Amino acid sequence: MRFQQIDQFASELKADKRASVYQSTKSTHEKRTKLLFDEFADPNRLRQIAGEIKQHTLENLDTYLPAVEAKMKANGVQVHWAATAEAANAAVLAIMRARGATKMVKAKTMVSEETELAHFLEKHGIEALETDLGEFIVQIDDDHPSHIVRPIIHKNRREIATSFEREGLGAYNDDPETITRRARQFLRHKYLAADVGLTGANFVSVESGRMVLVTNEGNSRFCLAATKCHIAMIGIEKLVPRDRDLALLLNLLGRSGTAQELTVYTEFISGPKSPTQPDGPEEMHVIFVDNGRTEVLASDCRDILRCIRCGACLNVCPVYRQASGHAYRSVYPGPVGAVLSPLLMGDKFAEKADLPKASSLCGACNEVCPVNIPIPDLLLRLRNKAKEEGVPSPGTPPMGAWALLASQPMAWRAALVGGKVMNYLPTKLLPIPALRAWEAKRALPAWRGGEFRKWMKSRKSRAGL
Amino acid sequence: MTDDRESILSRVRGALAPLDERAAMPEYTTEIAVMRQMIAGRDLLTVFTERIRLVNGVALTDPAALVEKLRAGGWTHGYCDPALWPRLAPHFGADFKVEIEFDRARVDDYAFGITRAAGAIAETGTIILNEATTSRRLAALTPWVHVAVVERARIFADLPQAVAALGPDSNVIWCTGPSKTADVEGILIEGVHGPGIQIALVMQGA
Ligand code: SF4
């Protein structure tokens, strides 16, 4: 029996993992909605404007990118460019080598997940330690994040306690507070011993060249207080035109992502430390990373580049809630991932062309998106692209028979009668393998075909038509 | 990497060239993203005090109350910005050990750190730190308790006002409550890498 790949994964997912993903996504989503609608008269208007700001920026990147580069240089930042993941990793390594640096502490950055920076550096003899609690646990388990904001949404405290014990962070203890304290104690000495702090950026203002970083744990603050060199890896789509646009976007980001009015720490960084400050980086580098983004910009799916990685669409998505993040086989799971991940594959698009099909197109992702990305439309465009490129699609029922029935009234009526027979036959006998696979995991409602036609007829006769 | 610069920029130009029209920048006032009904004519210190409590932070106006709180928590060894110490010292008893130098080799010794803030935001209960007013980045971050001394007149009403006041400072940090995580089973735990207790001491002429 052939399932679509996401279905297959979901069907094998352990019940406790599904439950933990389901519970926490649902509660975050509900809190988000309450927060937005209680505090703002017209939150949908905010989402629209935020979307327009980002769309405008994307469509003017040809002027904004050189402008922000000039501003950053004037602020004392060294600016680098990386067309590919390999180039981005090589740029980081070159900066570290030039300083004779061997130890890095990393804050959470999605673009470094794309380039698999930590693995790359480790191969070159550099210790690259994740400091976000969730990412740290992912790293010691050699696992993958399963949510863009909550990397270990798929793990429970018992698994984490076991990993901590294995890593020598203390005897088994699964109290979340103890787990957090142990990580605090272990990591603070790692920051202080590190040479370089690596971060991403949530936004970059073209007007001032400031980058904005938001975290709850304070790990990026620690990276920038303890080390002497700051490297920021930033996707080229992160720009916004002016500082004042940041207030709007920050208001939406915290609420959409974690149901907070504001994330605990919002850092506005525009250069190395000042000469009178004893702590922090004397040197600051920004690496602008393309890694497939310009190709997305050239496509009819460029709207997805507005994404501010809040995770709201994951939390609300019925498919994500059932399948969890690993089902998407990508750095970006959920609705945003179903669009972005295949696109970022470039000429290997076919390998992930199944992702856009794992959606009922219910539209919930679009409704919650703080930058109003029409995700369902983009999913349809990608399905079309897959079709046009002749990507095979196992697990999808052929629609030819359906088309024939639906266009022939006689045949349709016959099928409706036939459908009633299905109520009495075991579904194992379904003639289409994909439907059989689908049905194996779901209970089909009783067939009720023909009711509408009957109702329509009697209505017409009542009305004397 | 100059090659990468050229290739990225030329691909960006190539991607945008076919567009008949570029999306315009929307006109809007930052007012739309402000929780107006909450501020509306109220005293900013009152709003700030109320809001910081909602994010599990504490606002105090009396240095004696601060000292009491530190003593009650058993946090008697800490750091204080030398510029603030002359004014605060009279309130601290002999049971306290307060250093005006911060030694990074002994980060675990400091239970509290007292530094100056650049201001605060009433709407969200946020403390604003920046490069110009923070004597030591590590002292405002690594101790379990961080006390930010906020000048009464530097409380901004809302986010847009605070953004407008960013100025030329190279490292501005908005702190909204103590450091926290919900990574383990969605359970909220405070004090991950930063302070587990965040206090604002609001003073005139700080
Ligand atoms: S697509 Fe929208 S909702 Fe989804 S992560 Fe990006 S910004 Fe958030």
Side-chain angles (χ1 to χ4, degrees), chain A residues 117-139:
Chain A
L117 176 69
H119 281 136
F120 170 84
L121 290 177
E122 263 151 31
K123 263 191 238 130
H124 288 83
I126 284 173
E127 176 184 298
L129 195 67
E130 299 285 353
T131 58
D132 172 88
L133 180 60
E135 295 283 347
F136 172 69
I137 292 164
V138 164
Q139 189 176 40

Side-chain angles (χ1 to χ4, degrees), chain A residues 147-201:
Chain A
H147 188 290
I148 57 181
V149 177
R150 305 266 315 277
I152 52 165
I153 196 165
H154 62 292
K155 284 187 195 286
N156 62 40
R157 60 175 86 187
R158 292 178 301 282
E159 294 168 86
I160 300 166
T162 308
S163 307
F164 270 44
E165 188 178 26
R166 186 193 63 226
E167 296 296 316
L169 294 172
Y172 181 94
N173 186 326
D174 64 13
D175 165 38
E177 179 149 8
T178 306
I179 290 172
T180 309
R181 292 291 167 269
R182 285 177 175 175
R184 173 184 174 97
Q185 206 49 39
F186 175 76
L187 285 168
R188 56 179 31 214
H189 296 287
K190 291 288 185 182
Y191 294 109
L192 290 165
D195 309 298
V196 171
L198 184 120
T199 71

Side-chain angles (χ1 to χ4, degrees), chain A residues 189-217:
Chain A
H189 296 287
K190 291 288 185 182
Y191 294 109
L192 290 165
D195 309 298
V196 171
L198 184 120
T199 71
N202 295 82
F203 307 102
V204 176
S205 158
V206 175
E207 173 186 44
S208 60
R210 274 180 220 284
M211 54 168 269
V212 182
L213 257 180
V214 306
T215 70
N216 274 316
E217 298 181 5

Side-chain angles (χ1 to χ4, degrees), chain A residues 148 304 307-314 336 365 368-371 373 375:
Chain A
I148 57 181
I304 198 67
C307 174
I308 58 173
R309 310 282 190 263
C310 73
C313 59
L314 281 62
V336 55
C365 45
V368 298
C369 177
V371 284
I373 301 176
I375 295 178

Side-chain angles (χ1 to χ4, degrees), chain A residues 63-345:
Chain A
T63 51
Y64 283 139
L65 280 169
V68 80
E69 177 191 39
K71 194 75 211 175
M72 284 181 161
K73 283 184 169 167
N75 292 341
V77 178
Q78 302 182 45
V79 182
H80 313 255
W81 300 81
T84 59
E86 295 73 39
N89 289 346
V92 174
L93 184 63
I95 295 166
M96 294 199 63
R97 291 239 161 109
R99 295 183 57 87
T102 57
K103 292 195 178 87
M104 166 187 285
V105 274
K106 272 184 88 238
K108 184 169 158 51
T109 96
M110 294 309 292
V111 60
S112 76
E113 300 279 342
E114 282 177 43
T115 70
E116 299 182 31
L117 176 69
H119 281 136
F120 170 84
L121 290 177
E122 263 151 31
K123 263 191 238 130
H124 288 83
I126 284 173
E127 176 184 298
L129 195 67
E130 299 285 353
T131 58
D132 172 88
L133 180 60
E135 295 283 347
F136 172 69
I137 292 164
V138 164
Q139 189 176 40
I140 61 177
D141 283 353
D142 200 16
D143 195 355
H144 291 281
S146 67
H147 188 290
I148 57 181
V149 177
R150 305 266 315 277
I152 52 165
I153 196 165
H154 62 292
K155 284 187 195 286
N156 62 40
R157 60 175 86 187
R158 292 178 301 282
E159 294 168 86
I160 300 166
T162 308
S163 307
F164 270 44
E165 188 178 26
R166 186 193 63 226
E167 296 296 316
L169 294 172
Y172 181 94
N173 186 326
D174 64 13
D175 165 38
E177 179 149 8
T178 306
I179 290 172
T180 309
R181 292 291 167 269
R182 285 177 175 175
R184 173 184 174 97
Q185 206 49 39
F186 175 76
L187 285 168
R188 56 179 31 214
H189 296 287
K190 291 288 185 182
Y191 294 109
L192 290 165
D195 309 298
V196 171
L198 184 120
T199 71
N202 295 82
F203 307 102
V204 176
S205 158
V206 175
E207 173 186 44
S208 60
R210 274 180 220 284
M211 54 168 269
V212 182
L213 257 180
V214 306
T215 70
N216 274 316
E217 298 181 5
N219 53 325
S220 65
R221 276 185 73 188
F222 218 142
C223 290
L224 302 189
T227 68
K228 288 288 164 221
C229 175
H230 175 199
I231 305 177
M233 267 177 124
I234 306 178
I236 54 168
E237 81 284 18
K238 292 287 169 195
L239 310 191
V240 296
R242 307 163 303 189
D243 283 7
R244 62 187 289 253
D245 303 320
L246 296 170
L248 175 65
L249 286 158
L250 287 168
N251 256 311
L252 285 167
L253 178 58
R255 287 178 172 84
S256 305
T258 47
Q260 289 170 286
E261 283 169 358
L262 207 53
T263 315
V264 175
Y265 300 118
T266 308
E267 296 167 76
F268 302 81
I269 303 152
S270 58
K273 75 175 187 71
S274 76
T276 52
Q277 172 63 244
D279 304 320
E282 289 154 353
E283 206 175 289
M284 176 173 170
H285 299 264
V286 164
I287 305 171
F288 281 117
V289 182
D290 180 346
N291 196 30
R293 286 160 173 77
T294 47
E295 230 172 291
V296 184
L297 189 66
S299 76
D300 59 358
C301 291
R302 73 178 64 83
D303 301 20
I304 198 67
L305 294 175
R306 290 184 215 160
C307 174
I308 58 173
R309 310 282 190 263
C310 73
C313 59
L314 281 62
N315 296 339
V316 78
C317 177
V319 176
Y320 178 88
R321 285 181 183 176
Q322 291 298 325
S324 100
H326 289 162
Y328 293 80
R329 319 187 306 279
S330 313
V331 169
Y332 302 105
V336 55
V339 178
L340 193 56
S341 302
L343 285 168
L344 290 179
M345 295 297 286

